[in-house]
Amino acid sequence: MPQTVTAGLAAMQDELAALYQDLHRHPELSLQETRTAALLAGRLRAAGFDEVAENVGGTGVVGVLRSGDGPVVMLRADIDALPVEEKTDLPYASRARGVDGEGHDVPVMHACGHDMHAACLAGAAALLAGSRAQWSGTLLVVFQPAEELARGARDMVRDGLFDRFPKPDIVLGQHVGPLPAGFIGYGAGPVMAAADSLSVTLHGRGAHGSRPEASVDPVLMAANVVTRLQGIVGREVPPAETAVVTVGRLQAGTKDNIIPETAELGVNIRTYTPEVRTLVRAAVERIVRAESEASAAVAAPTLEWLAAAPALVSDPESTRTTVDAFAAHFGRERVMEMPQVNASEDIGVFGEELGVPTVFWFWGGLDTQTVVTALQEGRLDSLPSNHSPHFAPLIEPTLTTGVEALVVAALTWLGEAA
């Protein structure tokens, strides 16, 4: 059946390539994806979806396609872009600018491939709609906003995604990355890390730089916190487990001879299991509070947990079934097992909310020979990867592979027509 359904893809290639280039030229920041959402909603309506809803969880789009009794299968793609200045020199490169959540004018680029995700899902949705006589069940298509803030999935759930629309029996999703174009990568179990972000404000007492005895120096306090946090992974997390603690932001003061009143830190945590996640979060809070007290801070530190996403677990049994279908369709030589990825994805929120399996895979977008040469020369780090200003997947075979993967995965879990 997948070969029959994807047979119509060749006739759609130019149209889908144009859609991808349009999305790439017109990226929109998280929570601002209004043009993107309207464009994708229009595609679902044109494909003949039974229901199409916009503004779900902000700028999310949901489409429902029914074909008799059978399983409910969810396909999801994220649609937001990043505050990155594109440096690809492609004819369809983004020149867009936007205003971020803090009011700053910033360049905007689809540096993580969400434009490719959206174009592939639009293509898969059209193919499945055009062949609904060949399968049974319900297809739930979700274009999710604000993945880069690790909140879009949660926002959609809170806005009644699974109350207003059919509850899926399985959640399917994919991510383009720096693999050879045309290849599928997969993992079973925890494939991407949980992510937690914490904003910390340390409260000191300001003074002239020449009179440190009159101050409670929040800069020194912050420096000690940063140093101490690095001991969590090395001395508190079991060696067999994986965790990362990063201080990506440290801001204090305005002048070299003024001791400021406050210092601010931005802390990011990556873990793979709930137990280690709880351990690391508690250790970070303990260290911040203890250092503040040890430094005689004038007030307790302010801690605000911000964006959070659970570890992305690709259900092992469901993953094996889906990967077998990929191997049958693409050939086993184009399907490869991958190590865990320390980056994060909030698609896991959907399956976790309902207690249903999630299957997530990766597919390549880079020129095969470029990847092979970099591997042979030991310089894989030189390849443009997600979030790089140079990251732009090849349109083909990336687009075709992504569409086919979604169709194959969906048909693996939908029922066969009577």
Side-chain angles (χ1 to χ4, degrees):
M1 185 167 34
Q3 285 77 9
T4 304
V5 174
T6 57
L9 179 54
M12 298 170 55
Q13 277 183 283
D14 290 345
E15 180 189 0
L16 286 177
L19 171 63
Y20 166 70
Q21 292 180 42
D22 186 352
L23 293 173
H24 192 84
R25 281 194 189 99
H26 301 96
E28 294 173 300
L29 293 171
S30 305
L31 307 178
Q32 302 176 30
E33 312 94 334
T34 52
R35 179 187 184 276
T36 303
L39 190 63
L40 295 169
R43 303 280 303 199
L44 294 182
R45 292 189 181 98
F49 269 62
D50 301 305
E51 296 178 44
V52 179
E54 299 180 64
N55 304 313
V56 181
T59 50
V61 175
V62 178
V64 180
L65 186 67
R66 298 183 177 87
S67 183
D69 296 332
V72 179
V73 174
M74 174 174 158
L75 296 179
R76 171 271 201 181
D78 37 18
I79 61 175
D80 53 330
L82 287 160
V84 172
E85 183 176 1
E86 181 157 357
K87 297 180 180 178
T88 65
D89 294 325
L90 289 166
Y92 52 89
S94 168
R95 300 289 181 263
R97 299 194 69 84
V99 178
D100 67 13
E102 297 179 354
H104 303 135
D105 178 78
V106 294
V108 187
M109 176 194 176
H110 269 299
C112 199
H114 295 187
D115 47 351
M116 182 62 74
H117 300 175
C120 287
L121 182 51
L127 289 174
L128 289 164
S131 60
R132 72 164 92 189
Q134 299 182 48
W135 52 268
S136 64
T138 298
L139 181 69
L140 181 70
V141 167
V142 173
F143 290 105
Q144 179 209 306
E147 187 278 331
E148 296 295 353
L149 300 182
R151 58 171 287 182
R154 191 78 63 191
D155 286 349
M156 295 190 81
V157 169
R158 288 172 177 164
D159 197 24
L161 173 64
F162 299 132
D163 298 321
R164 298 160 57 186
F165 307 99
K167 292 182 175 64
D169 298 298
I170 192 167
V171 176
L172 305 172
Q174 61 181 7
H175 206 301
V176 67
L179 300 172
F183 283 72
I184 303 287
Y186 72 95
V191 294
M192 298 185 77
D196 294 282
S197 292
L198 173 67
S199 176
V200 175
T201 302
L202 300 169
H203 302 282
R205 180 186 303 116
H208 196 286
S210 66
R211 297 191 64 228
E213 76 281 3
S215 74
V216 174
D217 189 349
V219 178
L220 180 59
M221 202 185 310
N224 288 332
V225 168
V226 172
T227 301
R228 178 73 187 187
L229 289 179
Q230 304 315 304
I232 295 174
V233 174
R235 288 295 176 266
E236 299 190 44
V237 175
E241 300 287 351
T242 300
V244 177
V245 178
T246 297
V247 179
R249 181 173 63 89
L250 175 54
Q251 297 170 318
T254 56
K255 202 169 185 297
D256 60 321
N257 65 346
I258 300 173
I259 296 173
E261 292 189 345
T262 61
E264 298 179 2
L265 298 89
V267 184
N268 185 259
I269 299 167
R270 307 283 168 150
T271 54
Y272 285 98
T273 66
E275 296 78 15
V276 173
R277 188 183 189 188
T278 299
L279 182 156
V280 174
R281 284 174 57 118
V284 169
E285 289 195 9
R286 185 192 73 236
I287 287 170
V288 170
R289 292 193 173 99
E291 182 59 40
S292 183
E293 184 175 350
S295 300
V298 300
T302 304
L303 294 91
E304 182 183 5
W305 288 100
L306 304 171
L312 174 50
V313 178
S314 193
D315 179 71
E317 183 176 350
S318 302
T319 297
R320 280 192 294 271
T321 300
T322 306
V323 168
D324 286 345
F326 287 156
H329 182 80
F330 294 108
R332 180 66 66 178
E333 68 280 0
R334 289 174 59 187
V335 181
M336 63 181 73
E337 189 168 4
M338 290 178 56
Q340 290 179 325
V341 177
N342 272 348
S344 302
E345 248 276 5
D346 68 350
I347 187 175
V349 168
F350 297 118
E352 187 178 77
E353 176 71 17
L354 294 175
V356 302
T358 297
V359 176
F360 195 80
W361 62 93
F362 304 87
W363 92 106
L366 300 186
D367 174 69
T368 300
Q369 188 55 52
T370 300
V371 177
V372 170
T373 300
L375 180 62
Q376 291 171 339
E377 296 177 358
R379 51 180 188 83
L380 283 175
D381 289 346
S382 69
L383 296 174
S385 60
N386 305 80
H387 290 218
S388 162
H390 301 283
F391 183 73
L394 296 173
I395 293 180
E396 288 296 352
T398 311
L399 189 57
T400 297
T401 305
V403 172
E404 291 185 2
L406 288 171
V407 170
V408 170
L411 293 175
T412 300
W413 296 101
L414 289 165
E416 294 188 21

